[in-house]
Every structure is written in structure tokens, then in C-alpha cells.
């Protein structure tokens, strides 16, 4: 499975960015796809996830500011980020796990994902 991310960059505090993640070479008809972020010296934080049926879950740190959405026709997910804060600065990773038949429950626990993108940097200046 290959996850191709795009859309990172630099923005002023209060600004917006949209990240995209396209899945290639997967096997399955259901998925759990999510976004994680990591800063140097810290563990990876799950911030948003979505399942095939549209169920979503957000970390408290981004709730109300970030929106995850899916495009089943394009096998991709987006993360729309608004009201960005300097503390949102991190490397952002797309993650996924694909299934046959069962509908996965959205979770922000990284151990429930087995495919990862290369990461895209988001920098928010104060």
C-alpha cells in the first residue's frame, strides 16, 4: 500500500491549509484512514480519522478547527485545517488500514494502522 500525501507548507497563525492523502495499491473494500502528527522528541499524536461509512473521530486539540473528509471515488482523504496555531506545527502523516467486509471503528490509536505516508511538514508562524 502506498499513501501519497500533499498540501503541507507554511502559514501564519489563524490561517488555513488542506492536506490530501491518496491510497494506491491497497486490497480491501473498507478502510480506516487517519492523520497523525509528530514533533521532534514527542510521540505520534492521532488527530483525525474516518471510516468508509463516514464515521469520524477527532482529538480534542483539533476539534472544531480541523475537518477530515473522504472521496471514495478517488480513494483519498483530506484534512482541512483552519484556525491554525503555532502549536499545530508538526510533521503530518497519513495512515490507513484496509479491510474486507467488516466496517472498521474509527480510532486515533496508531497501532490500528498498518500503512503510513512519508509525511508532510506544516509550519505555523506566530
Amino acid at each position: 500500500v502506498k499513501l501519497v500525501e500533499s498540501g503541507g507548507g507554511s502559514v501564519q497563525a489563524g490561517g488555513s491549509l488542506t492536506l490530501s492523502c491518496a491510497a494506491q495499491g491497497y486490497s480491501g473494500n473498507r478502510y480506516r484512514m487517519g492523520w497523525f502528527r509528530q514533533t521532534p522528541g514527542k510521540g505520534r499524536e492521532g488527530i483525525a480519522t474516518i471510516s468508509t461509512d463516514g464515521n469520524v473521530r477527532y482529538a480534542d486539540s483539533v476539534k472544531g478547527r480541523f475537518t477530515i473528509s473522504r472521496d471514495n471515488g478517488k480513494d483519498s482523504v483530506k484534512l482541512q485545517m483552519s484556525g491554525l496555531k503555532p502549536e499545530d506545527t508538526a510533521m503530518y502523516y497519513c495512515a490507513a488500514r484496509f479491510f474486507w467486509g467488516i466496517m472498521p471503528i474509527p480510532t486515533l490509536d496508531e497501532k490500528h494502522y498498518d500503512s503510513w505516508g512519508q509525511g508532510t511538514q506544516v509550519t505555523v508562524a506566530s
Side-chain angles (χ1 to χ4, degrees):
V1 178
K2 184 176 181 182
L3 301 177
V4 180
E5 299 146 334
S6 61
S10 298
V11 66
Q12 293 291 318
S16 301
L17 280 174
T18 297
L19 306 182
S20 297
C21 174
Q24 302 171 358
Y26 63 90
S27 176
N29 60 358
R30 302 282 192 268
Y31 61 77
R32 172 191 299 129
M33 295 185 75
W35 288 94
F36 292 72
R37 65 186 182 186
Q38 188 171 23
T39 54
K42 293 188 177 181
R44 215 150 30 183
E45 174 192 19
I47 57 172
T49 183
I50 188 167
S51 298
T52 316
D53 60 357
N55 280 332
V56 299
R57 180 168 291 181
Y58 296 97
D60 290 342
S61 58
V62 306
K63 202 173 293 183
R65 300 188 298 124
F66 291 10
T67 302
I68 189 170
S69 61
R70 73 195 193 285
D71 184 340
N72 287 338
K74 296 183 179 179
D75 301 326
S76 64
V77 295
K78 289 186 177 181
L79 184 68
Q80 295 173 283
M81 306 183 291
S82 61
L84 283 162
K85 306 174 182 179
E87 51 263 44
D88 293 318
T89 296
M91 185 71 77
Y92 283 69
Y93 297 90
C94 177
R97 185 169 179 181
F98 296 89
F99 305 81
W100 284 105
I102 67 169
M103 185 61 69
I105 297 171
T107 174
L108 297 175
D109 188 335
E110 65 177 296
K111 68 175 180 282
H112 292 292
Y113 296 81
D114 58 10
S115 299
W116 295 84
Q118 77 284 0
T120 185
Q121 179 68 36
V122 171
T123 301
V124 184
S126 57

